[in-house]
Amino acid sequence: MAAPMESQESQDAPDGADAQRAFICASFNQDTTSLSVGTKTGYRLFSVTAVDKLDCIHEGVECQDVYIVERLFSSSLVVVVSLSMPRRMNVYHFKKGTEICNYSYSNNILSVRLNRQRLVVCLEESVYIHNIKDMKLLKTLLNTPSNPTGLCALSVNHSNSYLAYPGSATIGEITVYDANNLSTLTLIQAHDSPLAALTFNGSGTKLASASERGTVIRVFSIPEGTRLFEFRRGMKRYVSISSLSFSADGQFLCASSNTETVHIFKLEQHSPSLDEESPTWSAYMGKMFTAASTYLPSQVSDMMHQDRAFAMVRLNMVGLKTISALATIQKLPRLLVASSDGCLYIYNVDPQDGGECVQIQKHRLFDSSEKQVEQNSAANPEDVSPQPASQSYAATVALPSTPPSSTTLTGYSEDGGVEKGDVIPEHEFAEGPVCLDDENEFPPFGNQSN
């Protein structure tokens, strides 16, 4: 059913290769109301609160080749890392068009995670934990197991701020760390193979994981580390899981990979009493399999107890990088899939019966002028600042901020954005309402005139 929409859109779509060249990275914010996209020319922030339209609420041009861009909920705080300076993290107030601060580290930044209390920066063999209110460095976890992809997950629930990252480079061990109290909570032996994906549910009480094999997805209780669910994505082939994401109510979990399928799993405990009350053929067979599994090897027994996907999406692409998220848009459950082909796909999800999801919309993240922008960028490459020489740990943990840029971004007047005394909704921060430019809540802007 999605094919006609694909063919209709492709007639006036920009060349796919150009979109892929423009697209570098994408991420959804903590409550899946915004999509952030890193591009060759900067970054873009989109609102994803409606099905029929995709509003670009900001286009940042402070730096090019952005490979990390993370927005804090619906606030004006956005974190950006560029390929030209991969050791430096820039924190911007995008509505004012000002840089709040920047921090440099001893090696390339691989990922950044944030909630209303903490900002976490992950390098290959170390993790830095900042207080997001004043950007002070609270803790450095040194000599962590090699983590070349920067895999980590931070609970969006600021009351616990649990942090998960690989506890081993050779097996699927998870270290769960309390970023509020700065102490290790537990170690979870999740998989036999190294980890590939991690995510918390909204409350931080469940953690989902997948290994590099990509065949089994497991869900654990937090902080206990007890296995709660086990889902089988497939058996025939190993795949690379690119994203895991819970629904807001924690009842569903979606997984996307480098294949053409996105899976949605339902987290429900099967009640034995219901099977007894409804003596159907399937219930009878289920009891027979359960009884038989006690006599089978553990690997076969585990496979028989694994649940399959509740719903799925078959994409019209194979091998492209995708991230997926479950969201409630206009009061209905939807699946969002952002792809490196430069498009955002929206699907309806049936929360009762599941099955194959229906594509209802496709939005292009790049307009037809993107091709010309890319050609101009290639023809006139800008000078790239030389990478600073390696310094000692003490010197590189947090270098002083460079003076904030006085340039006002296109689309914002000099006095645009949030004014002194204006507030954003209370849910944006741990204690609020909070002024965006209050020095007690965010790093100072310096002597930046509005």
Side-chain angles (χ1 to χ4, degrees):
M1 296 181 68
M5 294 185 65
E6 175 70 23
S7 59
Q8 182 177 1
E9 282 281 340
S10 62
Q11 293 177 1
D12 59 348
D15 183 77
D18 292 303
Q20 291 180 45
R21 283 198 296 270
F23 183 101
I24 298 179
C25 70
S27 67
F28 292 100
N29 68 340
Q30 295 83 355
D31 56 5
T32 323
T33 58
S34 176
L35 173 66
S36 305
V37 178
T39 72
K40 297 288 291 182
T41 57
Y43 66 93
R44 295 177 182 183
L45 305 178
F46 297 91
S47 172
V48 289
T49 56
V51 170
D52 294 333
K53 62 179 181 178
L54 183 68
D55 292 329
C56 182
I57 57 179
H58 178 70
E59 182 167 359
V61 294
E62 299 91 340
C63 51
Q64 297 183 349
D65 298 323
V66 171
Y67 72 97
I68 293 176
V69 53
E70 297 285 343
R71 184 185 182 190
L72 178 63
F73 288 89
S74 298
S75 75
S76 296
L77 187 148
V78 62
V79 178
V80 176
V81 184
S82 168
L83 288 171
S84 62
M85 299 192 72
R87 298 184 180 186
R88 190 171 81 173
M89 173 185 70
N90 298 90
V91 183
Y92 295 110
H93 183 307
F94 73 82
K95 287 186 178 178
K96 283 181 173 287
T98 56
E99 180 185 80
I100 296 173
C101 64
N102 66 67
Y103 276 70
S104 293
Y105 301 87
S106 57
N107 212 329
N108 291 353
I109 300 169
L110 300 179
S111 64
V112 176
R113 301 287 182 264
L114 56 162
N115 65 20
R116 297 178 183 116
Q117 290 278 35
R118 298 290 181 257
L119 186 150
V120 175
V121 178
C122 185
L123 312 188
E124 183 170 354
E125 295 182 345
S126 57
V127 177
Y128 297 81
I129 301 173
H130 295 264
N131 180 6
I132 201 168
K133 299 298 181 67
D134 56 14
M135 287 304 297
K136 289 181 180 178
L137 180 66
L138 301 176
K139 185 73 173 182
T140 304
L141 305 175
L142 295 173
N143 302 316
T144 56
S146 179
N147 184 12
T149 63
L151 175 63
C152 69
L154 178 67
S155 167
V156 302
N157 183 0
H158 60 269
S159 65
N160 52 49
S161 294
Y162 294 146
L163 171 67
Y165 59 92
S168 169
T170 57
I171 61 172
E173 181 180 88
I174 306 171
T175 298
V176 182
Y177 189 87
D178 186 338
N180 279 350
N181 296 312
L182 305 178
S183 60
T184 299
L185 281 176
T186 186
L187 298 177
I188 301 174
Q189 306 301 321
H191 303 270
D192 294 332
S193 302
L195 297 169
L198 293 167
T199 190
F200 285 99
N201 67 340
S203 61
T205 57
K206 293 182 178 69
L207 174 67
S209 66
S211 74
E212 289 182 350
R213 292 184 177 181
T215 54
V216 174
I217 296 167
R218 296 189 171 106
V219 179
F220 302 89
S221 65
I222 301 297
E224 301 84 8
T226 305
R227 187 192 300 182
L228 299 176
F229 301 93
E230 187 168 66
F231 303 108
R232 177 160 288 276
R233 194 213 58 82
M235 295 174 59
K236 296 181 179 179
R237 54 180 174 173
Y238 294 163
V239 302
S240 176
I241 301 290
S242 55
S243 72
L244 292 173
S245 178
F246 282 95
S247 59
D249 60 7
Q251 296 301 305
F252 298 92
L253 173 69
C254 67
S256 59
S257 65
N258 60 339
T259 70
E260 70 281 3
T261 309
V262 178
H263 295 82
I264 301 175
F265 304 96
K266 190 172 186 178
L267 283 69
E268 58 180 351
Q269 298 287 357
H270 299 291
S271 174
S273 60
L274 293 179
D275 292 339
E276 294 175 0
E277 294 173 2
S278 54
T280 61
W281 172 252
S282 61
Y284 172 76
M285 291 301 296
K287 290 181 180 180
M288 293 292 292
F289 276 116
T290 301
S293 67
T294 60
Y295 301 99
L296 297 173
S298 60
Q299 290 182 338
V300 179
S301 177
D302 288 345
M303 189 179 301
M304 294 176 67
H305 284 91
Q306 291 164 349
D307 288 332
R308 293 306 186 102
F310 170 76
M312 68 172 56
V313 164
R314 299 187 187 279
L315 304 173
N316 295 321
M317 66 196 81
V318 181
L320 295 181
K321 181 70 178 286
T322 62
I323 62 167
S324 59
L326 293 163
T328 299
I329 301 177
Q330 295 169 314
K331 299 182 180 181
L332 293 175
R334 322 282 190 178
L335 174 70
L336 308 178
V337 180
S339 169
S340 58
D341 67 353
C343 293
L344 173 68
Y345 301 87
I346 303 178
Y347 299 83
N348 275 341
V349 179
D350 186 336
Q352 300 299 323
D353 299 326
E356 189 156 350
C357 301
V358 177
Q359 179 181 316
I360 57 172
Q361 192 58 262
K362 171 185 175 182
H363 295 291
R364 293 176 299 181
L365 303 174
F366 306 98
D367 56 33
S368 58
S369 65
E370 196 69 37
K371 181 176 180 180
Q372 184 65 37
V373 172
E374 290 302 311
Q375 290 176 344
N376 293 339
S377 177
N380 301 291
E382 295 185 5
D383 294 334
V384 177
S385 302
Q387 183 66 35
S390 298
Q391 302 180 36
S392 67
Y393 163 70
T396 57
V397 163
L399 296 180
S401 300
T402 56
S405 170
S406 59
T407 304
T408 301
L409 297 185
T410 302
Y412 291 91
S413 61
E414 291 185 0
D415 59 349
V418 176
E419 293 291 327
K420 188 74 174 179
D422 285 354
V423 298
I424 58 175
E426 293 185 18
H427 69 271
E428 297 295 349
F429 297 94
E431 299 172 1
V434 177
C435 298
L436 273 178
D437 53 353
D438 186 339
E439 293 185 3
N440 295 323
E441 298 300 334
F442 275 131
F445 287 92
N447 297 322
Q448 173 67 34
S449 58
N450 289 329

